[in-house]
Amino acid sequence: MNFEKQLNLRSGEKCELSGSTDDLQVYQVQPSDGNSADDFILICQNLKDQLEGKKAIVPNDWRCLNDAMWSEVPAVKVVSYRMLDQLKQEGWPNDLLEMIYLSDEELSWAKSGMEDEDAVKHIDSNGAELKAGDTVVLIKDLDVKGSTITAKRGTAVRNIRLVHNDPTLIEGKVDGQTIYILTQFVKK
């Protein structure tokens, strides 16, 4: 169903998080059935790409949550809560997390779409958690199986992808070829 007109009217044709008027997109806040405009928000392309993992998260792009978290729209509050929780290691979101108010139903919705604390995590050689889109550096020379390439120590692998069913593997490009790399041989 197309709720774009309702979202434009509700938001005043602005991103409901940042207030931007450029390149607006409809974003369905999961988990929801998508049967009403209340399940969606109007959001700028930059923030949508970060939410969907197409771009690395830029913490300063999310400072707009200071205002967005006070929205009367439940879907906007849910996204605000999730992003503040995801960014809490930055420091500034912790104060906002303490101030944000969500009803029991909204809090349940927000937590149901968040990463599980017990979920599989990809950890580099120094114990840092790896995220999709990160840049890592190889810590030793690696022979690439099935190829004549040797990935040299110190090579930067940009925009990595996580292998979801194996926490010891990531995917990345070295010398233009996509390869699997053991997380124990990289550092963030």
Side-chain angles (χ1 to χ4, degrees):
M1 297 188 167
N2 188 354
F3 298 107
E4 196 165 355
K5 286 182 183 177
Q6 287 176 292
L7 294 174
N8 277 319
L9 191 61
R10 178 178 83 193
S11 68
E13 297 185 9
K14 294 180 183 174
C15 172
E16 293 184 90
L17 297 176
S18 69
S20 170
T21 57
D22 298 330
D23 207 8
L24 298 176
Q25 304 290 319
V26 174
Y27 177 77
Q28 183 175 357
V29 181
Q30 296 293 339
S32 65
D33 53 16
N35 289 334
S36 81
D38 294 337
D39 296 338
F40 298 86
I41 62 172
L42 199 61
I43 188 170
C44 63
Q45 185 69 53
N46 176 43
L47 296 182
K48 183 179 182 199
D49 287 346
Q50 291 181 47
L51 278 175
E52 294 176 340
K54 294 177 183 173
K55 289 170 89 175
I57 292 179
V58 179
N60 279 339
D61 288 354
W62 295 95
R63 291 201 178 257
C64 58
L65 297 179
N66 189 31
D67 294 327
M69 68 183 221
W70 300 109
S71 173
E72 293 298 318
V73 178
V76 174
K77 292 196 292 187
V78 165
V79 171
S80 297
Y81 180 86
R82 289 178 183 169
M83 286 309 300
L84 289 169
D85 185 72
Q86 189 172 343
L87 295 168
K88 63 185 170 192
Q89 76 278 1
E90 295 292 318
W92 60 266
N94 289 320
D95 292 335
L96 299 179
L97 274 171
E98 289 178 15
M99 291 188 289
I100 193 169
Y101 175 76
L102 282 83
S103 68
D104 291 340
E105 185 178 291
E106 292 165 344
L107 186 59
S108 175
W109 182 14
K111 288 188 174 184
S112 68
M114 292 171 61
E115 285 185 19
D116 185 5
E117 292 293 324
D118 299 326
V120 174
K121 294 185 176 160
H122 293 69
I123 307 296
D124 73 359
S125 61
N126 293 330
E129 186 176 351
L130 300 173
K131 301 279 187 195
D134 281 349
T135 297
V136 296
V137 176
L138 301 179
I139 62 169
K140 79 177 251 182
D141 290 351
L142 301 173
D143 292 326
V144 180
K145 291 183 180 177
S147 173
T148 58
I149 297 174
T150 298
K152 298 289 185 192
R153 177 178 178 229
T155 300
V157 181
R158 290 174 176 73
N159 200 21
I160 64 167
R161 291 180 300 282
L162 306 178
V163 177
H164 294 288
N165 58 353
D166 189 344
T168 64
L169 285 176
I170 59 171
E171 256 186 282
K173 284 194 176 196
V174 174
D175 292 334
Q177 184 174 356
T178 301
I179 63 171
Y180 287 98
I181 307 167
L182 288 170
T183 56
Q184 66 189 17
F185 298 127
V186 300
K187 67 178 180 178
K188 203 168 182 181

